Amino acid sequence: MKENFRSLSVDELKKEVQSASEEVRKARFQFGVTRSLENPKLIHNQKKRIAQALTIQREKELAAAGKLKQIPPKAGKAAPVAKAAKGKKK
């Protein structure tokens, strides 16, 4: 889903944010009136989409201004470092 947002332009991202915000508003209104939703997770999912779109939009704005430092993706997770055992000292 994030990759789909990365391929969109800034204007398309703004439209995506507006449509998702409208969906959240409608779902909240429906829940307030009827106290039931067909899909209760809808509000959470739409708010998550809004946050993802806004994040990508901000990244594009910073990249255009030359203020965004590109961080290369990690190839894999590093092995966890073993911690010293806690306990009584002898």
Side-chain angles (χ1 to χ4, degrees):
M1 183 178 299
K2 289 183 189 177
E3 295 304 318
N4 294 342
F5 284 139
R6 292 200 188 279
S7 64
L8 297 177
S9 70
V10 175
D11 291 334
E12 292 170 334
L13 286 170
K14 287 181 182 178
K15 289 179 185 176
E16 183 67 34
V17 169
Q18 287 177 343
S19 66
S21 297
E22 183 68 21
E23 287 292 323
V24 170
R25 189 186 66 76
K26 285 179 183 178
R28 283 185 177 161
F29 180 76
Q30 180 184 1
F31 181 73
V33 171
T34 63
R35 288 290 182 212
S36 66
L37 278 176
E38 226 174 85
N39 182 4
K41 199 78 167 157
L42 177 78
I43 295 172
H44 173 76
N45 291 341
Q46 291 299 326
K47 286 173 69 174
K48 189 173 179 180
R49 277 183 73 81
I50 293 169
Q52 288 172 346
L54 289 174
T55 300
I56 301 298
Q57 181 181 353
R58 181 68 176 150
E59 285 177 2
K60 288 186 178 202
E61 289 173 0
L62 289 175
K67 295 181 181 181
L68 181 66
K69 182 174 85 172
Q70 295 293 329
I71 300 172
K74 294 181 181 178
K77 291 187 176 181
V81 177
K83 294 183 178 180
K86 292 184 180 180
K88 295 180 181 179
K89 293 183 181 180
K90 292 183 181 181

